[in-house]
Amino acid sequence: MDKHMILYRGSLKSCNYHCSYCPFSKHPMSERELDRDQMQWCSFVKRLLKKVKALHIGALMVVPYGEAMIHHWYWEGLAQLSAFAEIDAVGIQTNLSFSVSEFLSSYEKAGGVPEKLRLWATFHPEMTTVSEFCAKCRQLREQDIQLCAGSVGVPENLHLLQELKQELNGIYLWVNKMDGLRLSYTQKEREAFEEIDPYFARELMRVPANVSMCRGRLFVEADGGLRSCNIGSTLKENWETLDDFPIPECSRKQCSCYLAYGGRGDFMNQVLFGPYPLFRIPRCPRAVFLDIEGTLFSSKDNCGESHTVEVSSNIMGELEILAKQKVYLLFATTMPYREAMQRCRKIRHLFAGGIFAGGAHIVWGQEREYYYELQDSWLTDLAALKKELRFRILTYRDCGKLYKVTLIRSTHSPWTQQETAAIMSHISDAKSLRCYIEENCLQIVSADANKARGVETLCRWMDISPKDAVAVGDSKEDEEMMELCNS
Ligand code: SF4
């Protein structure tokens, strides 16, 4: 089970910067209000430490309205949380105005683990310069602190952001769409911002709300109020008494900002930004292996039938982003090659090849392919069982090579493990075979063929490590390949 991520927003509403467009720059907080924020944060940290194991929490990010990193209690709390073994990462949004060396020494003194720290640094052009901001980013990077930097995509600031991108020298620079200004971008502006941030196109996509994608995420407010995300509806549960993740609720029509859409369970968030995508630090894989049914397409179709299926426009856009970044896209499916190509007709041009027939057939472009071949001899062993178990035999061959056999029967009769065992006990050379159930289809391939081995072969052909690849799937057949790539 993936670990969960919590976002926290205290009652802080003040900032040391005074950007003209920001309401929090005009709201000084009294000592009393600041004390209250400190007390609420400390109480939140205490409770979080108590709940980490039971709620299976792996990461926390502070998303304040004002600037929190000028207050020592946030430094100490983050350090305390990072020291806890169950916590994988702690992060905070900041304007980066604090002293990096003072912060890091205080964080480490308080037991903080630098490798677990994630910073989301926002560039405010009215208050700092490109060189000052980038010097701090580089200073953090030199200390191996993971961070992203970003700014709002205001067209007037385009040249400044291009300069920022250059100076950041490889640190990811995200660009947020202009929110609330009801302005749209020209094609030229769009392209220019996409040059700066390859994921800017995602910012402009409409993401229809789908609360089923928001299980296991929580946005906690200073008073213990809960939402599924920063813009979701208030839930009836309270942080103080919470002992299980609440059922998400939402009345929004769209997930309109990164903190909303970026934290959903859609697989592409993790492909692009890792296990805790809300930190917004790209994973930059060199290859992505994608299962087809249940992953790229939600519909499960009967094996043996072939028709084209559509991916959502958002997934299509995201695949195009990856292809543009020269990331190798590869199928990893139990379908035979021809069926997969037929079903994925609209997206196959983006893919460099893949693993087909559960690993029995591996394809890399036009240049290379490999089959785990099967002998024909054992097929006659099945004849005696055909009537009793009511199945037909489909054989898959290419250039005379047999590589997959499907025992198919009525859709109302899914195969059971006992029947599979009975079939295998009748086959003379069962040791050389591997079988798996796909509802009413019992698939038989070589014992050496599986998706994980397919990933290893393709990675060798591409001259990359499986650790530089990401794999996504939704079934037992995908587990080993996902472990190989994503661990
Ligand atoms: S708005 Fe937030 S809670 Fe609602 S569906 Fe989108 S991400 Fe989930």
Side-chain angles (χ1 to χ4, degrees):
M1 178 173 135
D2 289 341
K3 288 199 203 167
H4 303 316
M5 182 161 182
I6 303 261
L7 297 191
Y8 174 80
R9 177 172 291 157
S11 54
L12 192 76
K13 286 188 176 62
S14 63
C15 183
N16 55 334
Y17 276 2
H18 305 288
C19 307
S20 57
Y21 50 81
C22 175
F24 307 110
S25 67
K26 291 145 197 111
H27 179 91
M29 282 174 85
S30 66
E31 281 297 313
R32 222 166 129 190
E33 286 171 314
L34 285 172
D35 285 348
R36 191 161 151 256
D37 181 64
Q38 177 175 7
M39 205 192 67
Q40 287 166 328
W41 164 245
C42 293
S43 141
F44 166 78
V45 169
K46 230 168 154 179
R47 285 232 183 267
L48 179 58
L49 286 173
K50 280 196 185 140
K51 292 175 195 280
V52 159
K53 277 192 193 158
L55 295 184
H56 209 62
I57 294 164
L60 164 88
M61 181 157 79
V62 183
V63 290
Y65 271 141
E67 175 56 35
M69 286 293 276
I70 49 173
H71 301 298
H72 65 90
W73 55 92
Y74 282 99
W75 295 6
E76 288 148 16
L78 288 172
Q80 214 183 329
L81 288 169
S82 74
F84 202 75
E86 306 291 317
I87 301 256
D88 298 326
V90 294
I92 189 161
Q93 292 181 328
T94 172
N95 60 21
L96 222 53
S97 58
F98 59 91
S99 152
V100 169
S101 49
E102 262 178 54
F103 161 65
L104 286 179
S105 94
S106 156
Y107 177 81
E108 288 188 52
K109 243 188 232 152
V113 182
E115 306 83 69
K116 292 191 186 178
L117 190 62
R118 309 282 183 272
L119 295 177
W120 161 310
T122 306
F123 174 68
H124 296 282
E126 290 180 22
M127 299 303 299
T128 185
T129 61
V130 166
S131 56
E132 190 187 6
F133 182 82
C134 291
K136 286 202 170 172
C137 290
R138 284 194 300 267
Q139 198 184 347
L140 284 158
R141 238 251 301 254
E142 277 156 21
Q143 301 298 316
D144 289 329
I145 303 299
Q146 294 192 45
L147 78 156
C148 64
S151 193
V152 180
V154 179
E156 289 71 40
N157 291 342
L158 184 58
H159 293 303
L160 201 60
L161 296 189
Q162 284 164 336
E163 197 190 324
L164 184 61
K165 167 101 176 168
Q166 180 101 12
E167 286 277 314
L168 281 169
N169 195 19
I171 295 171
Y172 170 58
L173 176 64
W174 47 260
V175 178
N176 271 358
K177 66 175 177 281
M178 296 177 287
D179 237 350
L181 298 179
R182 294 185 190 283
L183 297 172
S184 54
Y185 293 96
T186 63
Q187 181 65 18
K188 228 168 138 192
E189 287 164 352
R190 231 187 116 127
E191 284 167 12
F193 283 123
E194 280 173 26
E195 276 292 309
I196 295 171
D197 174 6
Y199 308 120
F200 182 65
R202 294 182 92 217
E203 270 288 292
L204 303 183
M205 285 176 189
R206 266 189 84 254
V207 183
N210 176 359
V211 80
S212 70
M213 287 291 168
C214 298
R215 291 194 190 99
R217 64 183 297 197
L218 265 187
F219 180 85
V220 183
E221 296 180 272
D223 61 0
L226 299 174
R227 300 167 192 272
S228 291
C229 81
N230 57 319
I231 57 169
S233 322
T234 305
L235 306 175
K236 57 182 180 308
E237 291 84 352
N238 189 281
W239 173 246
E240 302 294 314
T241 50
L242 194 73
D243 54 12
D244 201 359
F245 261 78
I247 295 172
E249 283 174 45
C250 178
S251 53
R252 291 274 171 175
K253 286 203 166 57
Q254 284 183 42
C255 312
S256 52
C257 62
Y258 189 81
L259 289 186
Y261 74 79
R264 293 184 9 162
D266 309 59
F267 70 86
M268 207 48 106
N269 280 327
Q270 299 210 350
V271 166
L272 300 177
F273 292 95
Y276 301 110
L278 284 173
F279 291 127
R280 217 172 180 171
I281 299 173
R283 186 176 208 160
C284 302
R286 296 189 60 196
V288 178
F289 292 88
L290 293 167
D291 172 40
I292 297 180
E293 276 186 336
T295 300
L296 275 171
F297 309 127
S298 55
S299 63
K300 291 259 181 201
D301 298 313
N302 284 332
C303 46
E305 289 179 16
S306 266
H307 59 264
T308 308
V309 253
E310 307 254 348
V311 293
S312 72
S313 59
N314 288 11
I315 292 181
M316 185 71 192
E318 287 159 336
L319 291 174
E320 281 168 346
I321 292 172
L322 284 166
K324 210 165 151 192
Q325 287 180 279
K326 309 237 176 305
V327 176
Y328 296 124
L329 294 175
L330 299 138
F331 295 110
T333 176
T334 54
M335 286 183 214
Y337 178 81
R338 258 187 287 278
E339 190 183 333
M341 290 302 114
Q342 173 60 33
R343 293 210 190 178
C344 301
R345 198 167 51 84
K346 301 223 169 123
I347 54 169
R348 67 187 181 203
H349 62 284
L350 299 170
F351 282 71
I355 301 153
F356 301 91
H361 182 198
I362 303 165
V363 179
W364 171 241
Q366 303 292 323
E367 303 105 62
R368 284 180 97 159
E369 67 181 331
Y370 183 80
Y371 291 93
Y372 284 95
E373 271 189 76
L374 298 172
Q375 300 301 317
D376 280 84
S377 51
W378 57 273
L379 286 174
T380 50
D381 299 342
L382 295 172
L385 295 167
K386 267 170 81 175
K387 210 165 166 194
E388 185 192 333
L389 295 171
R390 291 163 283 118
F391 62 83
R392 280 186 301 126
I393 303 176
L394 303 180
T395 54
Y396 294 86
R397 296 172 198 270
D398 265 354
C399 309
K401 292 175 190 153
L402 175 69
Y403 63 94
K404 178 179 162 178
V405 173
T406 300
L407 310 187
I408 184 170
R409 60 191 196 183
S410 146
T411 47
H412 307 296
S413 306
W415 286 95
T416 65
Q417 292 298 347
Q418 291 91 318
E419 287 170 327
T420 307
I423 296 261
M424 293 313 269
S425 69
H426 268 77
I427 296 176
S428 46
D429 193 20
K431 272 205 192 105
S432 67
L433 305 174
R434 182 174 83 82
C435 60
Y436 53 92
I437 296 170
E438 288 185 319
E439 295 172 15
N440 60 318
C441 295
L442 182 64
Q443 312 287 13
I444 305 177
V445 293
S446 158
D448 295 326
N450 60 54
K451 289 189 185 181
R453 196 160 285 172
V455 167
E456 282 171 343
T457 304
L458 277 165
C459 285
R460 210 170 42 249
W461 291 354
M462 293 184 286
D463 199 19
I464 67 170
S465 158
K467 295 279 165 240
D468 293 329
V470 180
V472 189
D474 71 328
S475 76
K476 213 167 169 336
E477 277 293 294
D478 302 306
E479 281 172 11
E480 211 186 323
M481 96 170 158
M482 286 164 69
E483 208 171 298
L484 178 71
C485 295
N486 308 348
S487 59

